[in-house]
Amino acid sequence: MKSNSFQSWRMFLLTVWLEVEQGGCIAALACLLLGLAVAWTSRLRGSPGLPQPPIIPGLPLLGSVLALGRRGSKFIAACHAQYGDVFTLRVLGQKMTWLLAPEAYAPFFTAPEEQISFGPAVQQFTDRVFGLPPQHFVGKHGLMLRTLRWQLVPGTLPNILHPLHSFLRRELEVNPLRGRVDLCKYIQDITFRSSVSTFFGSSFLEEVDVASLLQSFQTFESGFEMAASPVPLCLQWPFLRARSRLVETFRQALLRDSIGKGTVVKRLIDDVQLPDSCTPNMMLCFMWASQANATPTAFWTLAFLLLPENAAYRGRVEAELQATRSSTDPAASLVDLACSRSSALNKCIAETIRLRAPSIDVRIAASDVMLRLPGREGLLLEKGSVLATSPFESHSDERLFGPDARHYNPDREGMLLCGKTALHSSILGVGGVAGLAFGGGKYRCPGRYFAEAEVALVVGMILLSCPTLALDDLQQQWEGGVGDPHGCLPAPDFQKLLGIKVPVAPCWVSAKEKGC
């Protein structure tokens, strides 16, 4: 298929529909059968003389879109087991080639843009989801990343984390964790206001209804993946209404000049200089990026530590936290601990991110590319194909993380790539225990260090305030899986491909409050 195959199929289906509307049922049927024949023969034919990845059989026209939507990560794992490290799905006529061979990560993340490109893979995504038109996003994307990296490098983190600590402390005092609560919901309740105040400024939240803002964001987030799919947005009214409310909130904040001076968001607005009509959409993009993964990461970090088999790791983390209390400046000491990437707490966070990583990262083959893997002939990646890798699936690969790849082990070494830890490899951003979770190359996540430190601060303050925190029910309720072999925690949502996995059900915990 060519790069515009998806648009071509939409035009083709529109033509069939018009034929039916005009009474041309026979012509429409003939057109449909001809289209199916072309799709089938093109799938079988491929490019003569050049080996290509195996193509997974799917439904006519739809391909594997239903299987991918229903089964998500489990479908990817099943295809990996049956067809090997490289295979191709058809999704509504578009080829999507999955690259799960360790040797494929270097070209995926570091190949020149004229071969494998990131921009075209996310243009429609940012337009459909955030309403950020490609003509304004593409040219400014690199500047956005550079601006955020400059503000969120490790050396600047204490300046951001100290205000965050103050906001979190206030939230814990107003809403202490006591009695029986849903851990994931509780974490979102205390972190949303604190994080938004830190990034947008407390003056921003003083002029909005925070409960309404959170509800709109939750609706937006719950419809996020559907919005990124080819399903028409006109059928997704809850998502569109939530997005409209959020964008309007940001627009009014800009008119009132209520975005805090010196905040990360204010500097981003000033440096990027998008048109006024697009700036609120960029602010929405930033809010999603800063919020969507923080809550589930903090939840899973705490949940894993509450499992009885991980009591030793919890003991080491609590010892570190108690040491901050005995210092002359407990708040500063806790912030320093959150920024330390070698602490026991941060090792637990990195292992949690590895076990609940996103299921997809995408690029576009900007030209025909020959993928060469050891011990086998090269494979042709056709121009226009979507190229995808799956951090979640790859992190269970014993070639990368050893025989205990599916188990929780914060003491493990970094990901192995080509026989050495990827921390020292040539793929910028890939490596350590978190592996592929933050992307790689020049498009790696710009907020990685802050994200890890923020989760450390949230988890640390909850454990300090609730030393008696415990899971409410340790009976097996779920199918055992990655990181939780006994099934004591809610299963991760395998249908969720983008971002850190979320639990499919509440995780009830109990605690007696103790001031921190």
Side-chain angles (χ1 to χ4, degrees):
M1 284 286 178
K2 296 184 181 297
S3 60
N4 63 350
S5 59
F6 177 62
Q7 290 82 359
S8 299
W9 271 114
R10 287 198 299 186
M11 292 302 298
F12 165 70
L13 292 173
L14 178 61
T15 302
V16 174
W17 181 79
L18 289 174
E19 289 285 349
V20 174
E21 284 290 293
Q22 296 167 7
C25 294
I26 296 178
L29 179 60
C31 185
L32 180 59
L33 292 174
L34 177 61
L36 291 173
V38 170
W40 180 257
T41 54
S42 66
R43 186 183 71 168
L44 295 178
R45 184 175 67 249
S47 298
L50 295 175
Q52 297 184 56
I55 297 179
I56 311 303
L59 298 173
L61 294 181
L62 297 178
S64 298
V65 65
L66 295 182
L68 192 60
R70 283 198 309 261
R71 299 175 59 199
S73 302
K74 289 191 173 183
F75 178 66
I76 298 168
C79 293
H80 188 195
Q82 183 173 354
Y83 296 97
D85 287 333
V86 184
F87 55 88
T88 296
L89 306 178
R90 286 195 184 276
V91 181
L92 295 174
Q94 172 69 60
K95 279 187 174 181
M96 175 180 279
T97 299
W98 291 80
L99 308 176
L100 301 176
E103 298 81 7
Y105 301 143
F108 181 86
F109 289 115
T110 65
E113 285 287 315
E114 57 269 19
Q115 294 180 10
I116 297 177
S117 179
F118 178 79
V122 297
Q123 286 177 19
Q124 287 191 357
F125 171 81
T126 55
D127 189 13
R128 284 179 57 88
V129 176
F130 300 110
L132 197 56
Q135 64 267 29
H136 297 302
F137 169 76
V138 175
K140 297 284 191 175
H141 187 211
L143 178 58
M144 293 178 192
L145 294 177
R146 290 193 298 274
T147 301
L148 290 173
R149 286 199 187 105
W150 177 77
Q151 294 191 77
L152 300 174
V153 294
T156 67
L157 294 186
N159 296 331
I160 304 173
L161 291 177
H162 279 293
L164 178 61
H165 177 273
S166 298
F167 291 127
L168 283 170
R169 184 184 181 91
R170 188 181 313 156
E171 290 298 312
L172 285 168
E173 291 172 350
V174 173
N175 185 19
L177 199 165
R178 58 175 61 159
R180 186 173 184 263
V181 300
D182 174 6
L183 182 59
C184 194
K185 183 181 184 303
Y186 177 78
I187 290 173
Q188 183 166 57
D189 288 344
I190 67 167
T191 58
F192 182 79
R193 182 190 290 267
S194 301
S195 179
V196 172
S197 296
T198 301
F199 282 125
F200 290 79
S202 55
S203 57
F204 167 71
L205 282 187
E206 289 170 359
E207 301 185 10
V208 301
D209 182 339
V210 179
S212 176
L213 183 70
L214 175 57
Q215 184 178 17
S216 295
F217 179 78
Q218 290 172 332
T219 303
F220 176 84
E221 164 63 11
S222 65
F224 189 90
E225 295 208 16
M226 182 67 75
S229 76
V231 176
L233 286 174
C234 62
L235 302 178
Q236 304 178 53
W237 283 109
F239 173 84
L240 289 177
R241 284 196 298 267
R243 185 178 75 180
S244 178
R245 287 194 295 266
L246 290 167
V247 169
E248 183 59 26
T249 298
F250 295 134
R251 195 182 314 280
Q252 293 300 320
L254 290 170
L255 292 175
R256 295 191 301 265
D257 195 26
S258 61
I259 303 301
K261 301 295 188 293
T263 60
V264 172
V265 171
K266 180 61 174 174
R267 290 170 183 162
L268 182 66
I269 294 170
D270 293 343
D271 288 359
V272 175
Q273 292 290 306
L274 280 179
D276 291 345
S277 60
C278 296
T279 299
N281 303 78
M282 181 181 70
M283 296 166 68
L284 173 59
C285 184
F286 180 88
M287 173 176 276
W288 177 83
S290 63
Q291 292 292 320
N293 293 318
T295 293
T297 302
F299 162 74
W300 289 115
T301 301
L302 267 171
F304 283 139
L305 287 173
L306 296 181
L307 290 173
E309 61 265 32
N310 298 329
Y313 297 117
R314 177 176 178 173
R316 286 160 51 185
V317 168
E318 289 180 336
E320 287 182 335
L321 294 172
Q322 289 301 324
T324 67
R325 269 190 166 163
S326 60
S327 67
T328 55
D329 189 343
S333 182
L334 184 58
V335 167
D336 289 343
L337 177 66
C339 293
S340 171
R341 306 191 72 216
S342 61
S343 67
L345 176 55
N346 273 282
K347 288 181 179 180
C348 292
I349 293 168
E351 177 70 345
T352 297
I353 292 171
R354 183 186 76 84
L355 294 172
R356 294 294 183 262
S359 289
I360 190 170
D361 195 352
V362 296
R363 301 288 190 272
I364 290 285
S367 61
D368 287 346
V369 177
M370 286 299 295
L371 177 66
R372 304 191 183 280
L373 301 176
R376 58 188 296 183
E377 58 185 343
L379 294 173
L380 174 66
L381 307 178
E382 287 188 324
K383 178 181 178 180
S385 296
V386 174
L387 306 180
T389 189
S390 175
F392 182 78
E393 173 66 12
S394 297
H395 290 176
S396 293
D397 192 331
E398 294 185 3
R399 294 171 296 180
L400 298 178
F401 288 101
D404 67 341
R406 295 174 60 83
H407 297 281
Y408 180 82
N409 177 16
D411 290 329
R412 72 174 66 251
E413 295 183 2
M415 185 177 79
L416 295 174
L417 193 60
C418 302
K420 58 183 180 181
T421 58
L423 185 64
H424 308 294
S425 76
S426 59
I427 308 176
L428 192 62
V430 170
V433 174
L436 305 168
F438 291 97
K442 66 179 181 179
Y443 296 110
R444 67 197 182 278
C445 174
R448 171 178 185 166
Y449 301 118
F450 173 81
E452 293 173 322
E454 178 189 25
V455 171
L457 197 59
V458 171
V459 171
M461 294 183 74
I462 290 177
L463 285 175
L464 281 171
S465 66
C466 310
T468 61
L469 189 64
L471 292 170
D472 227 29
D473 189 353
L474 288 175
Q475 299 298 316
Q476 179 170 353
Q477 303 179 60
W478 306 90
E479 179 184 356
V482 177
D484 179 25
H486 304 299
C488 294
L489 302 176
D493 184 355
F494 293 108
Q495 291 181 329
K496 180 177 172 62
L497 298 179
L498 297 168
I500 297 293
K501 299 284 178 289
V502 297
V504 297
C507 179
W508 299 101
V509 297
S510 298
K512 296 179 181 178
E513 181 263 345
K514 179 180 178 181
C516 63

Short mmCIF file of all heavy atoms in Angstrom, two decimals, residues 391-412:
data_model
loop_
_atom_site.label_atom_id
_atom_site.label_comp_id
_atom_site.label_asym_id
_atom_site.label_seq_id
_atom_site.Cartn_x
_atom_site.Cartn_y
_atom_site.Cartn_z
N PRO A 391 6.94 -1.29 23.81
CA PRO A 391 7.72 -1.39 25.05
C PRO A 391 7.16 -2.43 26.01
O PRO A 391 7.91 -3.20 26.61
CB PRO A 391 7.63 0.03 25.63
CG PRO A 391 7.44 0.90 24.43
CD PRO A 391 6.58 0.10 23.50
N PHE A 392 5.83 -2.49 26.16
CA PHE A 392 5.24 -3.43 27.10
C PHE A 392 5.59 -4.87 26.74
O PHE A 392 6.00 -5.66 27.59
CB PHE A 392 3.71 -3.25 27.13
CG PHE A 392 3.01 -4.15 28.11
CD1 PHE A 392 3.01 -3.85 29.46
CD2 PHE A 392 2.35 -5.29 27.68
CE1 PHE A 392 2.36 -4.67 30.37
CE2 PHE A 392 1.69 -6.12 28.58
CZ PHE A 392 1.70 -5.81 29.94
N GLU A 393 5.45 -5.23 25.47
CA GLU A 393 5.77 -6.58 25.03
C GLU A 393 7.27 -6.84 25.11
O GLU A 393 7.71 -7.90 25.56
CB GLU A 393 5.26 -6.80 23.60
CG GLU A 393 5.68 -8.11 22.95
CD GLU A 393 5.06 -9.34 23.62
OE1 GLU A 393 4.14 -9.19 24.44
OE2 GLU A 393 5.53 -10.45 23.31
N SER A 394 8.07 -5.87 24.69
CA SER A 394 9.52 -6.06 24.67
C SER A 394 10.10 -6.20 26.07
O SER A 394 11.11 -6.88 26.27
CB SER A 394 10.20 -4.88 23.96
OG SER A 394 9.80 -4.82 22.60
N HIS A 395 9.48 -5.58 27.05
CA HIS A 395 10.01 -5.64 28.42
C HIS A 395 9.81 -7.00 29.07
O HIS A 395 10.34 -7.25 30.16
CB HIS A 395 9.38 -4.55 29.28
CG HIS A 395 9.84 -3.17 28.91
ND1 HIS A 395 9.34 -2.03 29.49
CD2 HIS A 395 10.77 -2.76 28.01
CE1 HIS A 395 9.94 -0.98 28.97
NE2 HIS A 395 10.80 -1.38 28.07
N SER A 396 9.04 -7.88 28.42
CA SER A 396 8.92 -9.27 28.89
C SER A 396 9.86 -10.20 28.13
O SER A 396 9.81 -11.41 28.33
CB SER A 396 7.46 -9.76 28.72
OG SER A 396 6.60 -9.05 29.59
N ASP A 397 10.70 -9.64 27.28
CA ASP A 397 11.62 -10.41 26.44
C ASP A 397 12.86 -10.77 27.26
O ASP A 397 13.58 -9.89 27.74
CB ASP A 397 12.00 -9.58 25.22
CG ASP A 397 12.71 -10.40 24.15
OD1 ASP A 397 13.38 -11.40 24.50
OD2 ASP A 397 12.61 -10.04 22.96
N GLU A 398 13.11 -12.04 27.42
CA GLU A 398 14.25 -12.49 28.22
C GLU A 398 15.58 -12.09 27.59
O GLU A 398 16.60 -12.02 28.29
CB GLU A 398 14.19 -14.00 28.41
CG GLU A 398 13.00 -14.45 29.25
CD GLU A 398 13.01 -15.94 29.54
OE1 GLU A 398 13.98 -16.63 29.13
OE2 GLU A 398 12.05 -16.43 30.17
N ARG A 399 15.61 -11.84 26.29
CA ARG A 399 16.83 -11.38 25.65
C ARG A 399 17.23 -10.00 26.14
O ARG A 399 18.41 -9.62 26.08
CB ARG A 399 16.66 -11.35 24.12
CG ARG A 399 16.47 -12.71 23.48
CD ARG A 399 16.09 -12.59 22.02
NE ARG A 399 14.80 -11.94 21.85
CZ ARG A 399 14.23 -11.71 20.66
NH1 ARG A 399 14.87 -12.05 19.54
NH2 ARG A 399 13.05 -11.12 20.59
N LEU A 400 16.27 -9.24 26.63
CA LEU A 400 16.53 -7.88 27.09
C LEU A 400 16.67 -7.78 28.60
O LEU A 400 17.46 -6.98 29.11
CB LEU A 400 15.41 -6.94 26.63
CG LEU A 400 15.21 -6.79 25.12
CD1 LEU A 400 14.03 -5.88 24.84
CD2 LEU A 400 16.46 -6.25 24.47
N PHE A 401 15.90 -8.58 29.34
CA PHE A 401 15.88 -8.45 30.79
C PHE A 401 16.11 -9.76 31.54
O PHE A 401 15.85 -9.83 32.74
CB PHE A 401 14.56 -7.81 31.24
CG PHE A 401 14.46 -6.34 30.91
CD1 PHE A 401 13.72 -5.91 29.82
CD2 PHE A 401 15.12 -5.40 31.68
CE1 PHE A 401 13.64 -4.57 29.51
CE2 PHE A 401 15.05 -4.05 31.38
CZ PHE A 401 14.31 -3.63 30.29
N GLY A 402 16.59 -10.77 30.85
CA GLY A 402 16.96 -12.00 31.52
C GLY A 402 15.77 -12.90 31.82
O GLY A 402 14.62 -12.59 31.50
N PRO A 403 16.03 -14.03 32.46
CA PRO A 403 14.97 -15.03 32.69
C PRO A 403 13.85 -14.57 33.62
O PRO A 403 12.77 -15.16 33.62
CB PRO A 403 15.73 -16.21 33.30
CG PRO A 403 16.99 -15.63 33.84
CD PRO A 403 17.34 -14.49 32.95
N ASP A 404 14.09 -13.52 34.41
CA ASP A 404 13.03 -13.02 35.31
C ASP A 404 12.37 -11.77 34.75
O ASP A 404 11.87 -10.92 35.49
CB ASP A 404 13.59 -12.75 36.70
CG ASP A 404 14.59 -11.59 36.71
OD1 ASP A 404 15.11 -11.24 35.62
OD2 ASP A 404 14.84 -11.03 37.80
N ALA A 405 12.34 -11.65 33.42
CA ALA A 405 11.84 -10.43 32.79
C ALA A 405 10.40 -10.11 33.19
O ALA A 405 10.01 -8.93 33.25
CB ALA A 405 11.93 -10.55 31.27
N ARG A 406 9.58 -11.11 33.49
CA ARG A 406 8.19 -10.89 33.83
C ARG A 406 7.96 -10.68 35.32
O ARG A 406 6.82 -10.53 35.77
CB ARG A 406 7.33 -12.06 33.32
CG ARG A 406 7.31 -12.19 31.81
CD ARG A 406 6.57 -13.44 31.37
NE ARG A 406 5.18 -13.45 31.82
CZ ARG A 406 4.17 -12.85 31.20
NH1 ARG A 406 4.41 -12.17 30.08
NH2 ARG A 406 2.95 -12.91 31.66
N HIS A 407 9.02 -10.67 36.08
CA HIS A 407 8.91 -10.56 37.54
C HIS A 407 9.37 -9.18 38.02
O HIS A 407 10.18 -8.51 37.39
CB HIS A 407 9.72 -11.66 38.21
CG HIS A 407 9.23 -13.04 37.90
ND1 HIS A 407 8.14 -13.60 38.52
CD2 HIS A 407 9.68 -13.96 37.01
CE1 HIS A 407 7.93 -14.81 38.04
NE2 HIS A 407 8.86 -15.06 37.12
N TYR A 408 8.87 -8.81 39.18
CA TYR A 408 9.21 -7.53 39.80
C TYR A 408 10.55 -7.66 40.51
O TYR A 408 10.70 -8.42 41.46
CB TYR A 408 8.11 -7.17 40.80
CG TYR A 408 8.31 -5.87 41.54
CD1 TYR A 408 7.96 -4.65 40.96
CD2 TYR A 408 8.80 -5.85 42.85
CE1 TYR A 408 8.11 -3.46 41.65
CE2 TYR A 408 8.94 -4.67 43.56
CZ TYR A 408 8.61 -3.47 42.94
OH TYR A 408 8.75 -2.29 43.64
N ASN A 409 11.54 -6.91 40.04
CA ASN A 409 12.87 -6.97 40.62
C ASN A 409 13.57 -5.62 40.44
O ASN A 409 14.27 -5.39 39.46
CB ASN A 409 13.71 -8.08 39.97
CG ASN A 409 15.14 -8.11 40.50
OD1 ASN A 409 15.44 -7.50 41.54
ND2 ASN A 409 16.03 -8.78 39.78
N PRO A 410 13.38 -4.69 41.38
CA PRO A 410 13.99 -3.37 41.26
C PRO A 410 15.52 -3.39 41.26
O PRO A 410 16.14 -2.39 40.89
CB PRO A 410 13.46 -2.62 42.49
CG PRO A 410 12.21 -3.33 42.85
CD PRO A 410 12.47 -4.77 42.53
N ASP A 411 16.12 -4.50 41.67
CA ASP A 411 17.59 -4.56 41.72
C ASP A 411 18.21 -5.01 40.40
O ASP A 411 19.43 -5.15 40.31
CB ASP A 411 18.03 -5.53 42.82
CG ASP A 411 17.76 -4.98 44.22
OD1 ASP A 411 17.80 -3.74 44.38
OD2 ASP A 411 17.47 -5.78 45.13
N ARG A 412 17.39 -5.24 39.38
CA ARG A 412 17.94 -5.73 38.12
C ARG A 412 18.83 -4.68 37.46
O ARG A 412 18.73 -3.48 37.74
CB ARG A 412 16.81 -6.13 37.16
CG ARG A 412 16.03 -4.97 36.57
CD ARG A 412 15.02 -5.45 35.53
NE ARG A 412 13.97 -6.26 36.11
CZ ARG A 412 13.88 -7.57 35.90
NH1 ARG A 412 14.77 -8.19 35.13
NH2 ARG A 412 12.89 -8.27 36.45
#
